[in-house]
Each structure stands twice: as C-alpha cells, then as structure tokens.
Amino acid sequence: MAVNVFIYFLIDFNLMNEEYFNISGLLRLYIKNWRIYLPVGIVSLLFAVLFIIIYPPQYEINARIQLKEDTGGFSAGFQQFTSKGVIGGLLGAGLNAINVNNESLIISSRHNLKNAISESKYQIEVRQRQGLCNALLYNEQLPFRVLVPTSVLDTLSCPVKISLECSRGEILKLKASSSLFPTRRFKALKIPAVVELPFFSIGFQEVPGKVADGTYTIRISPLQKTFEILHKKIFVGAEESATNIVLLSYDDESRERGCNLLNAMMSGFNSLTLDNIQAEATRMRTFISSQLDSVSRELIQLETDIEQFQQQHKIPEPQLYAKASVEGNMEIEQLVLQAEADLRFAQSVADYFHKPENRYATLPAVVGIDSEVLLCYNEMILTRQRLAKEAGTKNPAFLLADSQLENQRVLMQNALDTGIKSLKSRLSTLKSKESNLSDKLKQMPSDVRTYMELKRRQKISESLYLFLMEQYQEKILTGTPEEESGRVLDEAYSSYKPVFPRKSIVLVVAVILAFMISFIIVCCRKL
C-alpha cells in the first residue's frame, strides 16, 4: 500500500510539473485539503504537550574521579619494561588506557554497583499521583519510610507493586500485587504500620513533619533487574584518551537519587581498594612477624650461649671485645654484618616467593632487589585480585592482567636471583677485606675465637631484627592508608535543565509527524 502511494505521488508530481510548471500550483492543489491538515496538526500538538507533561524529566548526572598515579613505582617501572619490549607486544596500547579500563570495570562491577544500589535505596520507588503524572518521591520528599528487609531486597526474584490511598497519615486502602503471591488487600492502617505479605513483611514508618495524603504507588524491583538496567544506563570510562580521569554519567529523573548512586559507586571503589591494600599488608605483616619470631628466638638463644660461655671460661667480655674491635676495622665489620643480614632476609623472601600458596602474594622491599620491578609486581598482584573479585576470572581484563603477571613473575624471579648474587658478591668482597681482622682473631686462643664468633652471630641477628622491625612498622602504616586509590575531582552533580524530553524537539517532531500523516491521508484519498 505504502509503495503504491509513493509511486502515485511521483506520477502525480510529474503531472503537476507538466501541467502547472511551478510549485505554487502544487501548493494550491493541497491547500484545499486544510480540513485534513488542521485536525491532524492539532491532535499531534496535543499529544506532544501531553507527552511533555506526563513523561518525567530526565536530568544528566555526572561525576569524575582521578586514579592515583604511581609516579616512582609501578607506572615508571612498567613503562621501562614495555619500552624494552619485554611485555610491550602483549599490551599493544599504553599503560594508562589499560589501567583506566581495568579500574572502570571495577567501578561498574556488579559487586560495587550492588552496594551502591542498596546504599541509595534504588530498588524501592515511591511515586505520587500529581495531576496527570506519577512524580517520583525520594529521601526528604517521602511522607513515610518504606522498610523492607535487606535479605528480601537481595533475593527478590519478581517485582512487587503496592498501591495505597492515604488521608491525613492513615492508609485507607492498600493493594499488594506480584507474580510471587496472590493479590492482597488491606484497609484502615494507621502509620506506622506493618503489612504482612507471603514470605516477607513491609513496614511503613512516619516521617516527622510529613503527613501522607494522596495516592501512592510503591514498586520494589529485584536486585538483578535493577543492576542490569543501571549497568546499561551508566557510562563509566576515560573522559579523554591518554588520561587517568574516569567519568561516571547517566540520566535519572531524581537529581538527588542519581547523585547518591554515583557518589556511592566512587566511595565503594575507594573502599574496595583500601580493603585490598589492608589485606595484603596484613598478610605481609604475618610473614615478617614469623621472621621476627624466628630471629628473636635465635637472639635469646645466642645471649644465653654467650652468657654461659663467658661464665664457663671467665672471659672479661668488655675489655676483650674492645681490644679485638680496636685492632680490627670496625667500618668493614659493620658492612659485613649488614650485608649478611640483607642476604639472609633476601633468601627468606625468595623462599616465600617460590611457595605455591604465595603465588599471588605481594613481597616486601628487599635490599639489592630492583625496587621498580618489585613495585610493578606488587601492583599487578593487587590489580589481579581486584579484577578477580569484581569482574570474575573469565573477564578479558582479568585474563590480560593474569598474563601480564606471569611475565612479571619471570622478571621478579630474575630480579631476586640477580639481587641475591649481587649480595653474595658484595659479602664476599667485604669478607676478603676483613681478612686482616680474621687473621688476628686466629692468633687468639680457641675459646676467645669461639666467643668472638658468638658475638658476631649476635650482631648479625640484631641487625636483621632491627631491619625486620622497620619492615613490620612500615606494613602497619600501609595497613591503615589515608590516601584513597581514586581522588574524587567532582562529586556527582546534576544538569540545570532536563536533558529529556526537550520541549522544542518534541514540538518539531510533532509538526513533522503531523505533516507526514496528513500527506499520507491526502495521497490515500486520491488513489
């Protein structure tokens, strides 16, 4: 039919051109059908006005968060390795883009968005009949609070709709409907009230200074349905290319609800990152604490042995040790002691690194190990843990992070091996310089040499103990971080005017539709 009308119009238009030779003739032909154009135009405009009045205005909600940069650690080190071609081919794009994509995925993840939905009470919508439209009421606009158990909101599988008529704070009629249970009706309920429904109950709590009066509609949506709707509506991503600023944006008819949702998402992202840092710091404190216990027991045993040896052989310890130290090179001796303590701790970290249960655990700072490699490795561990928790182990971003981590483990292994070899070489060099002191000690009686060796072991253990204690204190500070992973640049804010519906656009569309519908009617009448 439409094809016939179009063909007829073309034929008719050609005939008009041949007959009248100008547009004025064509206009006169159709002006006489004003009785069709005018009613259709009026009806279209009325529908446009009704649409503007009834459809709730949508406001654009925006927020921005800046990801923390690791200027001296992860980013710098990783860029160094990619420039050398170690992992560059695996990445393809720049480091900044991958980090922003990963963090954006975590911000919009189900876990984080679910918590933001619960915090902003997005599952419960209360609307009031105001003229021709149902206006959304939120927070301070509510004349009463709707109390639904958290367990119900988390497990609800189908929407629940509640219609109620109120007058002066009293519920005159209440109707609850859902596919989960038969429709239930209640009458004459005084707020505060509790409505018992199959499987759960809903409470209504009065708000001081507010009186419920009018017709209200309450809709309780399942968590998964709410998540799927919001996940499609909310944009989370880099505002511009090659930047670490993440933009969060979506449209909502309630400015306050939209702002609360985006703020909760940013807050949840920072909380998640801090939780991961604290968990890793706790795990590392446990490792260092076990090393401290071992060294402490060794120190206690050495002190006991030294005391017993001194009493048994009656060695005047202060004078003897002072004499032996003066004859030796104290500076070299201290360097040897520190090198032995560093080597011992590096070997314990290497053993910890090779254990299967610590495959995805961060490592403490080690003297002699490339700090950039270590910081890069630890950052990749934390990124992998966040993606595993939020995005799942089958997500492409997680698989990419896991692949990068495997490459970084090879670099970490090489750094540990190189560092330990370097410490051993340094210790060997220092010991060769210390040979003069050793030769002098060999000239002493055997009991004095044994005593000096005990004192030497004691000093090594003391140096290692002090080093471990510094590491332990550092992990305590790391476990209570004050700096958040993302710095909120702009808390969520709303546009001044609605972004939809735009009155001018709706009216223009109505005029165009009116003309098209009238034109089709005229063409059909001429067939």
Side-chain angles (χ1 to χ4, degrees):
M1 177 67 182
V3 175
N4 293 335
V5 171
F6 182 69
I7 294 174
Y8 177 82
F9 168 72
L10 291 177
I11 296 173
D12 191 51
F13 182 73
N14 289 331
L15 292 176
M16 290 302 113
N17 281 338
E18 294 177 1
E19 183 176 352
Y20 298 101
F21 189 70
N22 56 31
I23 299 177
S24 61
L26 181 64
L27 292 176
R28 285 196 299 270
L29 176 67
Y30 287 100
I31 285 176
K32 64 181 182 180
N33 296 302
W34 64 270
R35 293 182 179 85
I36 297 175
Y37 286 103
L38 184 61
V40 172
I42 293 174
V43 171
S44 298
L45 290 176
L46 286 176
F47 274 111
V49 172
L50 287 175
F51 178 79
I52 294 173
I53 294 175
I54 295 175
Y55 195 89
Q58 302 287 315
Y59 296 89
E60 185 179 19
I61 315 295
N62 292 317
R64 290 174 180 83
I65 183 170
Q66 182 181 27
L67 303 178
K68 186 182 73 173
E69 294 183 356
D70 298 317
T71 53
F74 172 64
S75 299
F78 199 74
Q79 287 172 353
Q80 176 185 354
F81 299 126
T82 54
S83 64
K84 292 180 180 178
V86 180
I87 318 177
L90 182 68
L91 294 180
L95 170 70
N96 228 9
I98 288 181
N99 272 346
V100 170
N101 289 339
N102 288 348
E103 302 306 314
S104 299
L105 183 64
I106 294 173
I107 293 174
S108 60
S109 63
R110 186 181 188 279
H111 176 80
N112 192 38
L113 187 52
K114 182 192 76 171
N115 292 337
I117 290 172
S118 299
E119 187 173 336
S120 60
K121 298 179 174 57
Y122 208 99
Q123 287 178 261
I124 305 174
E125 283 191 351
V126 180
R127 297 181 178 273
Q128 182 181 18
R129 173 67 67 180
Q130 295 179 358
L132 297 177
C133 63
N134 275 332
L136 176 65
L137 305 180
Y138 182 76
N139 207 3
E140 298 299 328
Q141 300 172 331
L142 292 171
F144 50 79
R145 305 289 182 194
V146 182
L147 307 178
V148 182
T150 304
S151 58
V152 174
L153 294 176
D154 292 341
T155 58
L156 191 65
S157 58
C158 295
V160 177
K161 182 180 179 181
I162 301 175
S163 303
L164 56 157
E165 296 180 9
C166 299
S167 177
R168 297 180 181 180
E170 182 179 354
I171 301 176
L172 303 179
K173 296 179 181 179
L174 187 146
K175 173 185 170 184
S177 58
S178 174
S179 58
L180 296 174
F181 52 83
T183 301
R184 302 290 299 273
R185 302 177 186 275
F186 302 86
K187 293 183 179 180
L189 298 175
K190 181 69 176 178
I191 300 178
V194 176
V195 177
E196 296 291 342
L197 299 176
F199 314 117
F200 62 95
S201 59
I202 297 177
F204 296 89
Q205 185 181 43
E206 59 183 350
V207 176
K210 299 289 184 69
V211 177
D213 195 359
T215 302
Y216 300 89
T217 302
I218 303 171
R219 186 177 182 84
I220 306 172
S221 301
L223 179 60
Q224 182 61 27
K225 180 180 179 181
T226 307
F227 164 74
E228 291 175 359
I229 293 173
L230 289 177
H231 193 264
K232 294 177 181 178
K233 291 177 60 177
I234 299 177
F235 168 80
V236 181
E239 187 169 15
E240 297 178 1
S241 59
T243 181
N244 63 341
I245 298 177
V246 178
L247 171 67
L248 293 82
S249 178
Y250 91 115
D251 298 341
D252 198 325
E253 59 183 292
S254 172
R255 300 181 181 184
E256 186 179 1
R257 184 178 70 168
C259 291
N260 288 345
L261 180 68
L262 294 191
N263 287 333
M265 290 178 66
M266 294 189 294
S267 176
F269 167 70
N270 278 327
S271 298
L272 171 66
T273 305
L274 295 182
D275 290 344
N276 285 337
I277 294 175
Q278 291 171 354
E280 281 302 313
T282 301
R283 187 173 182 176
M284 194 51 57
R285 283 201 306 269
T286 303
F287 164 68
I288 297 177
S289 178
S290 65
Q291 297 294 318
L292 274 173
D293 293 340
S294 176
V295 175
S296 298
R297 289 192 298 269
E298 184 177 344
L299 271 175
I300 294 172
Q301 185 62 43
L302 282 171
E303 290 175 358
T304 303
D305 293 344
I306 291 173
E307 185 178 355
Q308 291 177 355
F309 191 88
Q310 186 179 2
Q311 292 175 356
Q312 182 179 356
H313 296 84
K314 299 180 180 180
I315 297 177
E317 183 261 341
Q319 295 83 357
L320 178 63
Y321 189 69
K323 180 181 178 181
S325 299
V326 169
E327 291 176 355
N329 190 330
M330 284 294 296
E331 182 179 356
I332 294 180
E333 183 182 6
Q334 291 298 327
L335 290 174
V336 170
L337 292 173
Q338 186 61 47
E340 289 184 342
D342 292 342
L343 177 60
R344 183 173 169 181
F345 182 68
Q347 288 175 335
S348 66
V349 171
D351 294 338
Y352 180 80
F353 175 78
H354 289 118
K355 290 182 179 180
E357 61 269 22
N358 301 325
R359 184 174 183 82
Y360 301 114
T362 56
L363 301 178
V366 183
V367 176
I369 307 300
D370 192 334
S371 60
E372 291 182 346
V373 178
L374 181 63
L375 288 171
C376 181
Y377 177 78
N378 287 341
E379 181 67 20
M380 284 187 172
I381 289 289
L382 293 174
T383 300
R384 182 189 181 279
Q385 289 177 351
R386 291 200 303 269
L387 290 173
K389 184 176 181 180
E390 299 299 335
T393 56
K394 296 183 179 179
N395 189 276
F398 171 83
L399 296 177
L400 178 59
D402 195 51
S403 178
Q404 294 172 9
L405 180 59
E406 290 304 316
N407 286 274
Q408 189 62 24
R409 278 187 65 84
V410 176
L411 296 177
M412 191 69 241
Q413 175 66 61
N414 294 336
L416 285 171
D417 294 341
T418 303
I420 291 176
K421 288 180 181 178
S422 175
L423 289 173
K424 287 182 178 179
S425 176
R426 178 167 171 255
L427 181 61
S428 177
T429 303
L430 290 173
K431 281 189 173 182
S432 65
K433 293 181 180 180
E434 198 190 22
S435 59
N436 292 333
L437 177 61
S438 300
D439 292 340
K440 292 182 179 181
L441 288 176
K442 290 178 181 178
Q443 297 174 3
M444 297 180 182
S446 60
D447 55 346
V448 177
R449 290 202 307 270
T450 304
Y451 177 77
M452 295 301 296
E453 183 61 29
L454 288 173
K455 293 294 293 184
R456 181 186 181 82
R457 288 169 55 192
Q458 184 186 34
K459 276 200 165 187
I460 293 174
S461 296
E462 286 176 349
S463 299
L464 182 57
Y465 181 85
L466 292 176
F467 176 75
L468 288 171
M469 185 58 70
E470 289 178 2
Q471 291 282 322
Y472 186 76
Q473 294 297 328
E474 179 183 339
K475 296 306 172 186
I476 290 178
L477 295 176
T478 305
T480 55
E482 295 181 357
E483 185 178 2
E484 296 179 327
S485 179
R487 181 165 64 95
V488 177
L489 295 180
D490 292 324
E491 290 190 351
Y493 62 92
S494 169
S495 59
Y496 176 70
K497 292 183 178 180
V499 294
F500 186 83
R502 295 284 180 87
K503 296 179 182 179
S504 56
I505 296 177
V506 173
L507 293 176
V508 169
V509 171
V511 171
I512 294 174
L513 287 177
F515 176 78
M516 293 177 62
I517 293 172
S518 302
F519 185 77
I520 292 173
I521 294 174
V522 170
C523 292
C524 291
R525 291 184 62 185
K526 291 178 67 68
L527 285 178

